[in-house]
Structure formats: structure tokens, C-alpha cells
Amino acid sequence: MFRVFSESGGLMSYGPNRLEYDRHVAIYIDKILKGAKPGDLPIVQPTKFELVINLKTAKALGLTIPPSVLARADQVIQ
């Protein structure tokens, strides 16, 4: 969901996984269309998060990202 910021030139982004988010939205819509009251549906918190690092931006800013952080990233933009 937030990866677009890093893909557009931001240094880093960390946020909920877009596919999981969209899946939960689809489940909610399905339940509402089948007659469930929106106020009766449980609040669901994201469980999968993504860390995206843009090394092009880091280089332009003169920053070095530690290898331990790069190893934890879900995506590293070269």
C-alpha cells in the first residue's frame, strides 16, 4: 500500500501489505452485499507489513543503508 512512495522516489516505506488489505476489503464488501450491517463487522488489523528501500534515493542523499536493514527489506529498489 505504501510501497508506491518508495517506487516513486521516496527513501523507504513501511506499511500494510496491499494484497492482504485488498483481500480484507473484498471480504467486507461481500458481507455487506449479503446483508451484514457494517457496524456489526469486526475491525481487522493488518498482520503483514512490507519494508521497501530505495537505494537510488539513498545514494542521492549520501546515505548508506546497513546490510542488516537491507536483509530485512521485502523489496530493495536498485
Side-chain angles (χ1 to χ4, degrees):
M1 194 164 170
F2 295 99
R3 77 175 28 233
V4 69
F5 297 118
S6 293
E7 290 171 345
S8 299
L11 178 60
M12 292 183 194
S13 63
Y14 182 73
N17 177 285
R18 178 65 189 226
L19 293 176
E20 181 185 17
Y21 175 81
D22 289 345
R23 186 176 63 83
H24 283 293
V25 170
I27 291 169
Y28 271 55
I29 291 170
D30 181 59
K31 288 180 180 183
I32 291 168
L33 291 175
K34 290 180 179 175
K37 294 180 183 176
D40 293 340
L41 295 175
I43 295 172
V44 178
Q45 295 291 328
T47 57
K48 294 181 183 179
F49 293 85
E50 294 179 314
L51 172 62
V52 180
I53 300 172
N54 188 326
L55 287 180
K56 289 180 186 179
T57 302
K59 183 178 178 182
L61 294 171
L63 300 173
T64 302
I65 308 296
S68 60
V69 175
L70 292 173
R72 293 176 185 219
D74 296 291
Q75 180 182 1
V76 177
I77 300 169
Q78 302 284 334

